[in-house]
Amino acid sequence: MTNPYFDAERRPTRPQGHAHSEHAPGTQLTVIVAVAIGGAIGAGSRYGVERLWPTHGTEFPWPILTVNAAGCLAMGALMTVLATRFPDRGALAGALLGTGFLGGFTTLSHYTDGVRELLHAHAYGPAVVYLLLTVLASMAGVVVGVLAARTVVGVPAHQEASDGH
């Protein structure tokens, strides 16, 4: 599959080491604002999930596992749609919805703190299960999101031709 974000002739000019199109040189106030707005809404949404589905003490942290897996599924789908259908116009949407909203919604720090809390309470089994299950569920979420998006929106002809490479 050819990805327009990595296809040399379609890739926007970026500083060395920056793979994302929103990292192109120049003042990018609209991208910064989009990430900030998306991040605030995403973090607020995660907080809302935690308020609606509270856990205490050594209870298994299902809300954060679910948030991370769902966020990864959404990221896989979103980035696939942007790359396949909007390769030249998806940077701002990626900044708002991907980097911003989904970046604020998902959480590595809360996840690792949940593992720390379980270990501190000597709940070693749940800690290890949570540690591994979150990673597996999140990775599976990305794969399912990509496959679902490709099924729903289809694959452009220029990508179908190179699927075997």
Side-chain angles (χ1 to χ4, degrees):
M1 172 176 120
T2 301
N3 184 333
Y5 284 151
F6 299 109
D7 191 9
E9 52 279 347
R10 298 184 68 169
R11 183 176 43 225
T13 304
R14 302 179 192 121
Q16 186 73 18
H18 291 273
H20 298 283
S21 56
E22 63 265 19
H23 293 168
T27 303
Q28 305 248 330
L29 184 59
T30 55
V31 172
I32 293 168
V33 170
V35 169
I37 290 170
I41 295 169
S45 298
R46 175 175 24 94
Y47 177 75
V49 168
E50 292 180 277
R51 297 288 295 173
L52 292 170
W53 190 1
T55 58
H56 306 285
T58 59
E59 287 182 278
F60 196 82
W62 287 110
I64 297 302
L65 186 148
T66 303
V67 158
N68 284 330
C72 287
L73 185 141
M75 184 67 85
L78 173 69
M79 291 301 139
T80 299
V81 169
L82 293 178
T84 58
R85 294 294 172 215
F86 307 101
D88 297 326
R89 301 179 309 244
L92 192 57
L96 174 71
L97 300 173
T99 306
F101 179 79
L102 292 172
F105 185 63
T106 58
T107 172
L108 179 63
S109 59
H110 202 330
Y111 155 64
T112 57
D113 191 53
V115 172
R116 182 201 56 79
E117 286 179 2
L118 290 169
L119 290 173
H120 182 74
H122 304 289
Y124 302 115
V128 170
V129 169
Y130 180 48
L131 183 72
L132 298 175
L133 188 57
T134 297
V135 172
L136 293 173
S138 297
M139 292 176 72
V142 171
V143 170
V144 169
V146 168
L147 295 175
R150 288 184 67 150
T151 299
V152 171
V153 300
V155 180
H158 74 278
Q159 290 185 354
E160 287 245 351
S162 64
D163 269 352
H165 297 12

